[in-house]
Amino acid sequence: MKEKILKYSLNIGLLVTGLSLSAQNPIIQTKFTADPAPLVYKDTVFLYTSHDEDDAFGFKMKDWLLYTSTDMVNWTDHGVVASLKDFKWTDPENGAWAPQVIERNGKFYMYCPMPGQRGIGVLVADSPYGPFKDPIGKPLVKNSSDDIDPTVLIDDDGQAYLYWGNPNLWYVKLNEDMISVDGPIVKDSSIAKVKGSPDPFHYQEGPWAWKRNGNYYMAYASTCCPEGIGYAMGKSATGPWEFKGMIMDSDKRSNGNHPGIIDYKGKSYVFGFNYNLGKQTISKHYERRSICVSEMIYNTDGTIQKLPFWNPEGVKRIATLNPYEKVEAETIAYSEGLKTEKMTEWERNNPYDTGKKITDRLVVSSVNNGDYIKVQGVDFSKGTKFLEVSVASMNGGTIEIHTDAVNGPILRTVQVTGKAEGDIFKTIKSPMKNIKGVHDLYFVFKGSKDLFYFDWWKFSAN
């Protein structure tokens, strides 16, 4: 019931605030997400995030989520990738704050702050999708009350560094195994103060370290509160750091910020978060945050051009989406009113005898009248003849498939019939109007209440 109240309030809030249906920021609307940790691996951006619960007042965070994209606008939800429960030595109930994941020698290392000043832990996986497991069963670093917000850089000579801290910046060298430290923990003394200034742009928290064209960078949440994103540059991985300016000024619309920065397909991007989705329904401050992204531009000397506060339009699409392969319904450029959730299908839904496990699904849920999914840049080069959708009907309804606008031309209205079948997924195949070219696609849902779960969709040209 709480989710339904939040969902309908969100719909009203979108109308009241006049939010454009073409908006792309925040990039995730089905959950509250924060502390973006993007990783480029092969041809894909893997975006690891922390997760504010829907009923959070302060920080209520139990797990970490994963989203992927190959075009920077359509993000596929992969659900929970790790949680505090993966660390048997910590409190599993709350405190899954900002992580970062890095790849080395085909393995993926996830560095996570632990609640209650228990230090920083590490998980390892053979795939960026997980599963992640704790290889050491204890903190990798346990130094002080500053032990939050880890970030990792592997230098060109192979030496890895782990940085972290609020309100101080600390670092330590990592061994090649990435799960043990090499040498003492060092407190950085160069980044906190700006020469000749009363320190209005001081380091606060949320460091993000990277190297580009021979320059070393350290971005961070700067000033509090609200927090902007400042950055410093250095000539080595250990500094000394020289303050260079703000990537983004603080803004009263957002209490915090947390940078995550990548180069991808010839462009540079900075991720952070705002509170826009939450503030459409509530007037007081709650820690229910939403990740945003902007394109970032470097000057010829390596410095970074200042950006305005997170623009609602987000970034431009840099690739197209193939509709002739199965597309998970939780691949979303923008949505209204929807949630996603994991469902496990068993032979029998009896707690005393479940039978064999059939499959796990991550599906779009909380589907009601007027909700929609937008997918950007769908390449219909082969034309369209049929559409298949996988759904599990609760009360039934319709899916209107519009092109280029939420009220644009309709390709087809798919009828979802049946009731009380929310645990039975069926594939519906419907003939479609023929369309070619690259179009945005809108799945608009109509019906009375609790329509259905939506698993995947796929077009065919013959």
Side-chain angles (χ1 to χ4, degrees):
M1 181 59 70
K2 287 182 180 178
E3 286 190 357
K4 295 299 179 186
I5 293 172
L6 174 65
K7 161 193 165 56
Y8 286 117
S9 297
L10 178 58
N11 290 348
I12 294 170
L14 286 168
L15 295 174
V16 170
T17 58
L19 183 63
S20 168
L21 291 176
S22 64
Q24 293 296 132
N25 269 331
I27 61 173
I28 308 298
Q29 309 84 41
T30 56
K31 292 185 176 73
F32 291 113
T33 56
D35 305 323
L39 167 70
V40 177
Y41 180 67
K42 295 185 176 179
D43 191 45
T44 301
V45 176
F46 291 81
L47 178 62
Y48 301 88
T49 82
S50 60
H51 171 212
D52 295 326
E53 297 291 336
D54 284 354
D55 60 352
F57 279 71
F59 295 109
K60 185 177 181 182
M61 307 162 72
K62 301 181 178 182
D63 48 35
W64 296 280
L65 309 179
L66 171 61
Y67 299 84
T68 59
S69 180
T70 56
D71 56 22
M72 293 301 297
V73 293
N74 297 303
W75 293 92
T76 301
D77 187 344
H78 298 273
V80 175
V81 71
S83 78
L84 290 172
K85 293 180 180 179
D86 294 313
F87 297 96
K88 305 304 181 186
W89 44 272
T90 195
D91 179 0
E93 295 303 318
N94 192 9
W97 290 5
Q100 187 176 347
V101 176
I102 194 165
E103 182 269 339
R104 185 165 196 171
N105 297 329
K107 291 187 178 294
F108 299 83
Y109 300 89
M110 186 174 191
Y111 299 89
C112 308
M114 293 293 103
Q117 300 180 14
R118 290 179 174 88
I120 294 172
V122 59
L123 301 173
V124 63
D126 294 324
S127 162
Y129 299 98
F132 285 88
K133 297 181 179 180
D134 182 357
I136 58 177
K138 62 181 181 180
L140 172 64
V141 167
K142 193 174 190 307
N143 181 58
S144 72
S145 59
D146 293 351
D147 295 347
I148 65 169
D149 297 350
T151 183
V152 186
L153 178 144
I154 301 176
D155 208 347
D156 297 339
D157 62 1
Q159 179 61 62
Y161 298 84
L162 176 70
Y163 312 82
W164 69 93
N166 173 344
N168 299 294
L169 177 66
W170 303 80
Y171 69 88
V172 69
K173 290 181 179 181
L174 296 177
N175 288 313
E176 190 174 354
D177 64 11
M178 303 296 284
I179 59 172
S180 61
V181 301
D182 177 17
I185 292 172
V186 179
K187 182 178 180 179
D188 184 272
S189 61
S190 65
I191 203 169
K193 298 292 182 181
V194 182
K195 290 182 179 180
S197 164
D199 193 25
F201 304 111
H202 68 285
Y203 169 87
Q204 182 69 30
E205 60 182 345
W208 185 272
W210 77 103
K211 186 178 183 181
R212 186 179 187 273
N213 293 340
N215 294 313
Y216 295 83
Y217 294 84
M218 186 70 69
Y220 48 86
S222 178
T223 74
C224 185
C225 290
E227 291 177 337
I229 299 176
Y231 78 103
M233 294 174 65
K235 297 189 181 301
S236 79
T238 58
W241 302 103
E242 181 181 352
F243 176 75
K244 290 295 184 180
M246 300 296 290
I247 296 175
M248 182 178 292
D249 285 334
S250 61
D251 190 285
K252 63 182 180 181
R253 290 171 289 178
S254 184
N255 191 58
N257 228 318
H258 189 113
I261 295 169
I262 55 170
D263 289 341
Y264 182 59
K265 294 185 177 179
K267 295 181 180 290
S268 299
Y269 299 95
V270 56
F271 294 78
F273 61 76
N274 65 21
Y275 292 73
N276 280 15
L277 291 185
K279 286 187 175 181
Q280 287 162 8
T281 60
I282 52 180
S283 60
K284 298 177 183 178
H285 177 77
Y286 301 86
E287 292 299 339
R288 302 175 192 175
R289 298 161 290 177
S290 298
I291 287 177
C292 300
V293 63
S294 291
E295 185 177 349
M296 196 174 76
I297 306 296
Y298 291 88
N299 297 311
T300 55
D301 64 355
T303 56
I304 299 169
Q305 295 181 16
K306 185 188 290 188
L307 291 165
F309 189 70
W310 305 112
N311 62 302
E313 293 80 14
V315 299
K316 294 181 179 179
R317 174 177 56 82
I318 58 173
T320 56
L321 185 143
N322 181 3
Y324 307 113
E325 296 177 349
K326 184 186 294 185
V327 179
E328 296 297 329
E330 60 276 9
T331 299
I332 298 171
Y334 208 84
S335 66
E336 184 176 316
L338 302 167
K339 307 294 289 184
T340 59
E341 63 181 84
K342 181 180 178 180
M343 300 180 67
T344 300
E345 186 175 356
W346 303 89
E347 281 186 327
R348 298 181 62 196
N349 290 322
N350 183 323
Y352 304 104
D353 181 13
T354 59
K356 293 181 180 180
K357 178 177 176 179
I358 297 175
T359 189
D360 286 326
R361 287 187 174 91
L362 193 66
V363 301
V364 171
S365 61
S366 193
V367 181
N368 284 269
N369 185 59
D371 297 343
Y372 71 88
I373 293 171
K374 173 187 177 182
V375 184
Q376 264 205 58
V378 183
D379 185 1
F380 293 109
S381 57
K382 300 177 183 178
T384 55
K385 190 170 184 180
F386 294 101
L387 170 67
E388 295 175 274
V389 296
S390 175
V391 294
S393 179
M394 288 177 282
N395 287 288
T398 63
I399 307 174
E400 295 178 356
I401 295 89
H402 296 252
T403 55
D404 300 321
V406 71
N407 58 352
I410 296 179
L411 291 181
R412 178 75 183 186
T413 298
V414 176
Q415 301 290 332
V416 180
T417 59
K419 290 190 176 183
E421 296 179 345
D423 57 342
I424 301 172
F425 280 85
K426 296 180 179 179
T427 299
I428 301 171
K429 187 173 183 178
S430 303
M432 300 295 294
K433 291 181 181 178
N434 188 40
I435 186 174
K436 287 194 174 184
V438 176
H439 297 272
D440 293 345
L441 206 62
Y442 290 79
F443 296 86
V444 181
F445 308 110
K446 299 290 181 67
S448 58
K449 60 178 181 179
D450 295 329
L451 306 184
F452 39 77
Y453 297 107
F454 189 12
D455 190 12
W456 55 264
W457 56 271
K458 179 183 178 181
F459 283 83
S460 57
N462 49 49

